[in-house]
Amino acid sequence: QVQLVESGGGLVQPGGSLRLSCAASGSSFDINTMGWYRQAPGEEREFVARITSSGTTNYAGSVKGRFTISGDNTKRTVDLQLNSLKPEDTAVYYCNALIRRRTTWLWSEYWGQGTQVTVSS
């Protein structure tokens, strides 16, 4: 069983910072990419950032220059540093990973349970 567990959300004032972390647990699997999505109330879930196992990163235009994604292949973790936060960044942030179980050798998408980020004065 593979699980993604997030931590680090909370309430922060506009202009502030937060760091989100996600760890993949389980056994006998490989990770291709890890990343973050977010979903604001009444909105569709949207892509935020991703990092591949080789270190290539991609960001949504709305967060580029403010958010930084980093990963540790050995620890199977991915972090998202959120700086210069705006009220419109308020959302539930979900960790996402493309994982291949060595029992099936098939790539599948996995999601964490989500962590709330609220930006408000």
Side-chain angles (χ1 to χ4, degrees):
Q1 184 78 1
V2 177
Q3 285 189 313
L4 301 179
V5 179
E6 304 113 330
S7 60
L11 172 65
V12 63
Q13 293 187 342
S17 297
L18 279 176
R19 189 173 185 88
L20 307 182
S21 297
C22 173
S25 64
S27 61
S28 301
F29 66 93
D30 303 302
I31 300 175
N32 180 269
T33 62
M34 294 188 80
W36 294 89
Y37 286 68
R38 67 186 181 185
Q39 188 168 19
E43 302 288 334
E44 297 282 324
R45 190 172 297 188
E46 64 175 4
F47 167 75
V48 175
R50 72 167 61 91
I51 184 167
T52 69
S53 56
S54 60
T56 301
T57 59
N58 297 100
Y59 295 92
S62 59
V63 308
K64 204 167 188 178
R66 299 188 298 122
F67 293 7
T68 302
I69 191 168
S70 59
D72 187 318
N73 289 337
T74 301
K75 296 180 180 178
R76 294 176 169 175
T77 59
V78 62
D79 292 344
L80 187 68
Q81 179 67 39
L82 294 71
N83 295 331
S84 303
L85 281 161
K86 306 175 182 180
E88 51 264 41
D89 294 317
T90 296
V92 177
Y93 284 68
Y94 295 92
C95 180
N96 169 271
L98 187 60
I99 288 173
R100 178 178 64 188
R101 302 288 303 279
R102 293 177 192 162
T103 53
T104 64
W105 297 101
L106 296 174
W107 292 101
S108 299
E109 241 183 342
Y110 286 77
W111 294 91
Q113 80 285 356
T115 185
Q116 177 71 45
V117 171
T118 302
V119 185
S120 174
S121 54

